[in-house]
């Protein structure tokens, strides 16, 4: 049976959304409309990166998140992460937007969620990591000229406190433990930091569970059902 014009147009729009922004709206299961959003490659800040690099542009993500919040037809958000990190300010801006959404949100770490990807992974209401997924926690770096003055080091410390404070607020790992992992000297031969693989991220209290897309989708559908049920109960009250 041939597809209708509307179906063809819908598929075309979906393909363009995947190509341009790595996003897709799912609405086939349980009557829920779920927005699928991916954070991949390097998170681009105020400077445009090489066209050969895989990037996530914050100027694409922030308006989309605002649109999702304003769209009553969207029931929840699934966040897929495979990122090496990137611009700290932009990454934190995205994380703050996700954490402030009124819709249920679930994240899934695939491949890796390194550096500023850690706040992004914990910014959702619930988080998963695949068994082979990795998370790298390390100190903040600055590109370009660094002035060797006390104020520079204070700025570094302030930025690191913002990151560890956000992560600690949105997971079960205390800020002191996050700082210890960030300044670890025994794991990376030429750098500071800690690599967590799969279950280690759960044991440290950063990620909620080990699982894949099946578990993550089931959790999100469950959260949506609970909210809808609570809403129906409230609306039925005299």
């Amino acid at each position: 049976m041939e597809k209708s014009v509307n179906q063809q147009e819908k598929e075309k729009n979906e393909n363009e959304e995947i190509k341009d922004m790595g996003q897709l709206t799912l609405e086939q299961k349980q009557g829920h409309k779920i927005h699928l959003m991916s954070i991949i490659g390097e998170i681009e800040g105020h400077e445009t990166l090489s066209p050969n690099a895989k990037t996530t542009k914050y100027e694409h993500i922030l308006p989309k998140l605002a649109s999702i919040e304003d769209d009553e037809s969207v029931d929840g958000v699934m966040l897929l992460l495979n990122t090496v990190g990137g611009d700290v300010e932009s990454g934190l801006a995205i994380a703050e937007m996700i954490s402030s959404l009124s819709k249920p949100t679930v994240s899934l770490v695939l491949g890796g969620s390194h550096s500023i990807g850690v706040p992004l992974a914990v910014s959702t209401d619930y988080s998963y990591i695949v068994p082979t997924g990795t998370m790298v926690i390390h100190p903040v770096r600055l590109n370009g000229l660094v002035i060797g003055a006390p104020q520079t080091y204070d700025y570094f410390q302030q930025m690191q406190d913002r990151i560890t404070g956000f992560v600690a607020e949105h997971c079960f790992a205390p800020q002191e433990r996050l700082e210890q992992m960030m300044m670890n000297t025994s794991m990376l031969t030429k750098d500071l930091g800690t690599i967590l693989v799969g279950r280690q991220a759960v044991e440290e209290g950063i990620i909620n569970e080990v699982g894949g897309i099946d578990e993550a989708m089931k959790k999100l559908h469950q959260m949506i059902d609970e909210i809808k049920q609570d809403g129906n109960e409230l609306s039925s009250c005299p």
Side-chain angles (χ1 to χ4, degrees), residues 1 6 29 70 78 87 100 106 129 153 194 198 201 209 215:
M1 188 173 181
N6 289 338
K29 194 173 182 180
D70 194 50
M78 172 66 64
D87 187 90
S100 64
V106 172
I129 186 170
Y153 300 106
T194 300
E209 284 189 51
E215 290 86 356

Side-chain angles (χ1 to χ4, degrees), residues 23-162:
Q23 302 184 28
L24 179 66
T25 300
L26 308 173
E27 47 186 328
Q28 299 297 321
K29 194 173 182 180
Q30 294 183 224
H32 298 159
K33 187 174 180 181
I34 293 173
H35 190 84
L36 184 70
M37 178 176 287
S38 60
I39 307 288
I40 62 169
E42 187 169 352
I43 298 165
E44 195 173 78
H46 301 300
E47 296 183 3
T48 303
L49 297 175
S50 166
N52 295 324
K54 290 282 187 182
T55 63
T56 294
K57 300 178 183 293
Y58 78 104
E59 68 268 26
H60 289 173
I61 300 295
L62 297 183
K64 189 62 183 180
L65 289 170
S67 173
I68 290 169
E69 177 63 26
D70 194 50
D71 189 347
E72 292 183 356
S73 69
V74 176
D75 297 306
V77 177
M78 172 66 64
L79 187 68
L80 303 181
L81 292 156
N82 188 6
T83 175
V84 295
D87 187 90
V88 170
E89 300 286 353
S90 300
L92 277 178
I94 297 171
E96 289 282 12
M97 281 281 282
I98 294 170
S99 69
S100 64
L101 287 175
S102 63
K103 323 273 182 170
T105 55
V106 172
S107 64
L108 174 59
V109 176
L110 300 160
S113 189
H114 303 168
S115 190
I116 201 62
V118 177
L120 287 165
V122 303
S123 65
T124 54
D125 299 320
Y126 207 84
S127 57
Y128 286 87
I129 186 170
V130 295
T132 58
T134 59
M135 305 188 81
V136 178
I137 302 170
H138 64 70
V140 173
R141 284 105 168 158
L142 281 181
N143 294 326
L145 179 65
V146 177
I147 300 174
Q151 292 87 342
T152 301
Y153 300 106
D154 290 342
Y155 175 70
F156 270 72
Q157 186 61 53
Q158 182 187 63
M159 188 168 288
Q160 288 179 179
D161 288 344
R162 288 167 61 197

